[in-house]
Amino acid sequence: YDSTEGTRELLSKEKVTCYIGFDPTASSLHVGSLLPIMALARLQRFGHSPIALVGGGTGMIGDPSGKSQERSLLSIEEIDANARGMRAQLERFLDFNTTPNAARMMNNADWLRTIGLLEFLRDTGKHFTVNSMMAKESVKRRLEEGISFTEFSYSLLQAYDYLHLYRALKCTLQMGGSDQWGNITAGIELVRKLRARRVHGLVWPLLTTSAGTKFGKTEAGTVWLDPNRTSPFRFYQFWLNTDDRDVVRNLKLFTFLPREEIARLEAATAAHPERREAQRELARAVTRLVHGDEHVERAERAAQVLFGDNIGGASVEDVLMVFEDAPSTELTLPADGMPLAEMLATVKLAASKSEAMRLLKSGGVYVNNVRAADEKVRLTAADAIGGTLFVLRKGRKDHHIVKLTTARA
């Protein structure tokens, strides 16, 4: 963590108004956004007033920080739609209504889109030298490849945000990832020059895993907070799969668990890592914050489906949730059923019936997580989960879902 001089004293002695910017480049926030969200939520719990600033104006330009090439520009309509979707996600963490220090959600489109170019250059641009702007890490990194004037000017816009929030709401603290340090200090300088007031900045390191990968990135892609983009089950599994080396840190960063409970979970991990007690509590706590208790229960129930010996008694809904990424085929079974070998070939889990028979003889086929012991087995609707679903598996991980349609007479 890094901060301007006096930030710690400010937070310990005064109730401050603080803000963090959120870039509306997607229709949902993602797990990488949770760290700044939790920072605002913790400050609100200690009596400070948080502002979640959506970059409806700055999003039209694109922040070059941490980027190796120019961003693709979104339309105003896309940016505005993305901004509208953020409030519901932030409301899971921030109280916008009832407390004396209620959170605010603001959109810098309200002031940046109305300001004139000449006015901005005269009143804001003249307070920055090209030399200082080129010295910023986000710009220096891009000079060899090239950076457009559009992205080069981004820090001036973010600086103006800080000035506006100071003037309107006496905001005296901006927070963000360490890649935002140059943008934050630009705002601090602008407030100092135009309002002769000292304001502050606080940043934290960009989060990585112990394996050296960027936090929140998986083989399947980004982990989103929107349940329509990442299901609550997949979200729960992301946290459950946390490395032992990262789990205590993540408990501290992403939950509101007491220190004593985190210390207990740390000791439990050291003594019995195979039980994954800390990971389970982490998955429960973060999924509860983002999606609610009901989805925690469903995710845990679905996890039993995934790892159970026989999933024949599971609900169709839970099975489909667990295997949402698996290929599927709709089949209509004859009244007397279908030989499993024929079904394997029909859904292309085996290249042919003869290959399917070889797989069955070798014990490499599972139906609803139970090994098919007889290569001549015939499946009927009575064998299906809920009378409508089969989970076929070849080997350890090659799944295929068969959805039964109305049987022929």
Side-chain angles (χ1 to χ4, degrees), residues 247-265:
V247 67
V248 173
R249 178 202 67 183
N250 288 355
L251 283 165
K252 293 176 180 177
L253 293 177
F254 299 108
T255 78
F256 294 113
L257 291 176
R259 290 182 179 180
E260 298 77 16
E261 175 63 6
I262 293 176
R264 185 191 71 76
L265 291 167

Side-chain angles (χ1 to χ4, degrees), residues 24-298:
T25 52
S27 61
S28 170
L29 297 169
H30 49 78
V31 292
S33 312
L34 282 178
L35 193 55
I37 293 172
M38 291 295 287
L40 288 178
R42 290 184 197 283
L43 285 178
Q44 186 174 37
R45 290 184 171 213
F46 283 101
H48 304 290
S49 300
I51 300 170
L53 181 66
V54 178
T58 45
M60 294 175 64
I61 300 300
D63 184 359
S65 302
K67 301 296 178 183
S68 59
Q69 58 187 8
E70 197 89 2
R71 290 173 183 253
S72 298
L73 295 180
L74 300 178
S75 69
I76 291 178
E77 292 75 21
E78 288 174 310
I79 291 169
D80 289 346
N82 292 344
R84 286 192 295 271
M86 289 184 179
R87 168 112 185 187
Q89 294 176 343
L90 291 168
E91 282 178 338
R92 303 287 308 184
F93 298 84
L94 301 173
D95 186 343
F96 286 93
N97 302 305
T98 60
T99 66
N101 58 321
R104 294 179 177 90
M105 184 168 175
M106 304 184 75
N107 190 331
N108 61 18
D110 294 341
W111 54 87
L112 290 180
R113 290 185 191 173
T114 58
I115 194 170
L117 174 61
L118 294 179
E119 177 189 356
F120 184 76
L121 291 175
R122 182 193 64 196
D123 297 340
T124 302
K126 71 174 185 178
H127 296 289
F128 295 87
T129 66
V130 171
N131 308 59
S132 66
M133 293 172 68
M134 290 182 66
K136 293 187 182 301
E137 193 63 33
S138 60
V139 173
K140 279 200 303 185
R141 223 183 277 159
R142 292 276 297 279
L143 287 178
E144 283 189 20
E145 299 293 328
I147 182 171
S148 69
F149 178 75
T150 300
E151 289 197 358
F152 177 69
S153 63
Y154 180 90
S155 63
L156 276 66
L157 297 174
Q158 188 165 325
Y160 188 86
D161 285 343
Y162 205 165
L163 176 66
H164 177 88
L165 293 175
Y166 173 74
R167 287 190 303 205
L169 299 169
K170 291 294 182 284
C171 178
T172 55
L173 177 63
Q174 182 183 175
M175 301 188 296
S178 57
D179 61 335
Q180 293 297 308
W181 184 251
N183 294 331
I184 291 173
T185 54
I188 291 171
E189 280 298 298
L190 189 61
V191 174
R192 182 184 65 80
K193 289 176 179 177
L194 293 181
R195 285 295 181 270
R197 175 63 200 265
R198 184 184 184 192
V199 293
H200 297 271
L202 186 154
V203 297
W204 46 80
L206 298 179
L207 210 56
T208 59
T209 68
S210 293
T213 60
K214 185 177 180 180
F215 174 77
K217 294 293 184 182
T218 69
E219 290 182 6
T222 301
V223 180
W224 301 97
L225 305 193
D226 183 345
N228 295 314
R229 299 192 67 170
T230 297
S231 72
F233 172 74
R234 296 294 176 203
F235 187 85
Y236 179 94
Q237 288 293 314
F238 168 77
W239 298 98
L240 187 63
N241 291 331
T242 300
D243 191 296
D244 288 343
R245 297 169 292 177
D246 298 326
V247 67
V248 173
R249 178 202 67 183
N250 288 355
L251 283 165
K252 293 176 180 177
L253 293 177
F254 299 108
T255 78
F256 294 113
L257 291 176
R259 290 182 179 180
E260 298 77 16
E261 175 63 6
I262 293 176
R264 185 191 71 76
L265 291 167
E266 183 175 14
T269 298
H272 298 286
E274 74 283 357
R275 295 179 183 174
R276 302 187 69 76
E277 185 178 351
Q279 281 89 343
R280 293 183 192 282
E281 191 52 49
L282 174 66
R284 289 188 193 111
V286 185
T287 306
R288 185 178 296 116
L289 279 170
V290 175
H291 297 298
D293 285 322
E294 178 186 351
H295 284 292
V296 173
E297 294 170 7
R298 288 188 62 194

Side-chain angles (χ1 to χ4, degrees), residues 11-32:
L11 290 171
S12 63
K13 294 178 181 178
E14 300 179 27
K15 300 302 181 188
V16 305
T17 298
C18 55
Y19 91 94
I20 295 177
F22 295 89
D23 205 356
T25 52
S27 61
S28 170
L29 297 169
H30 49 78
V31 292

